Amino acid sequence: MGRPKTFDETAALDDAMQVFWAKGYAATSLTDLLAATGLSKSSLYETFGSKHDLFLKALERYRDVVVARSIAALESEAPAREAIRGAFLQAIEGCAEAAEPRGCFSNNCAVEQAARDPAACRRVMEVFGRFEAAFEAAIRRGQAAGEIPAERDPEGLARYLNSALNGLIVVSKTRPGREGLTDVVEITLKALD
């Protein structure tokens, strides 16, 4: 019988997620993961499997915690335009608060891994799908309230807003700070007119 675990698995996963988020999959070494989690090599492999398995679990953790928090802003009771603006401003704040500009973990993964890693691509597409569904629901809520013209295509607008949000986050990696990003939000919201 093996010894019982003496560490917090969720905390170790969060620590690994932070490393992958900051460095990417390829640049993250086993040494980086061991240092961040405080685990031995055997504990890391016994708990999470391979580096790739840990990476996929980190993406799922990001989806379940970080993405869920962002989507909650879109699903609030606020008027639709305000909720959509809030989702964009929340992304800007998250990027501006980071000590080093690292963008969005799923966005980074889309750029680095998705073309050659089908499992990672599925997880990224799931995140993008969740955002599109949340944007679409907010748009439909706004149409029902008369805030957004009824003739506008909610699915197309949702895809556009998701693309704009991800583009804004990519730009924030090279231009950290709020300046120069909030005006992009206001221009993007004009697509709802």
Side-chain angles (χ1 to χ4, degrees), residues 6-155:
T6 58
F7 62 90
D8 181 338
E9 192 173 320
T10 301
L13 181 57
D14 285 342
D15 293 337
M17 177 182 71
Q18 296 299 325
V19 175
F20 284 126
W21 189 352
K23 298 184 86 168
Y25 179 76
T28 297
S29 68
L30 179 60
T31 303
D32 294 329
L33 294 169
L34 296 176
T37 62
L39 299 177
S40 68
K41 186 190 276 189
S42 61
S43 290
L44 185 90
Y45 284 130
E46 287 171 13
T47 304
F48 299 109
S50 68
K51 173 185 168 183
H52 187 254
D53 292 336
L54 178 55
F55 178 69
L56 296 177
K57 288 175 181 150
L59 275 170
E60 291 167 0
R61 178 77 175 150
Y62 180 82
R63 175 199 65 208
D64 295 343
V65 176
V66 179
V67 170
R69 188 172 46 240
S70 295
I71 288 175
L74 284 169
E75 295 173 337
S76 73
E77 295 298 318
R81 283 179 182 266
E82 186 180 316
I84 293 168
R85 178 181 283 111
F88 276 85
L89 295 178
Q90 182 183 43
I92 290 172
E93 287 301 313
C95 293
E97 290 173 0
E100 292 182 30
R102 60 184 182 163
C104 161
F105 185 24
S106 58
N107 193 313
N108 296 347
C109 180
V111 172
E112 180 192 18
Q113 287 296 108
R116 63 182 164 276
D117 184 340
C121 184
R122 280 191 300 277
R123 284 160 179 83
V124 169
M125 291 307 297
E126 183 179 301
V127 168
F128 290 170
R130 285 185 178 191
F131 269 105
E132 284 180 17
F135 277 128
E136 184 179 343
I139 291 163
R140 289 185 187 281
R141 192 173 74 242
Q143 287 175 320
E147 292 178 70
I148 298 170
E151 65 274 5
R152 300 304 309 271
D153 173 24
E155 290 178 27

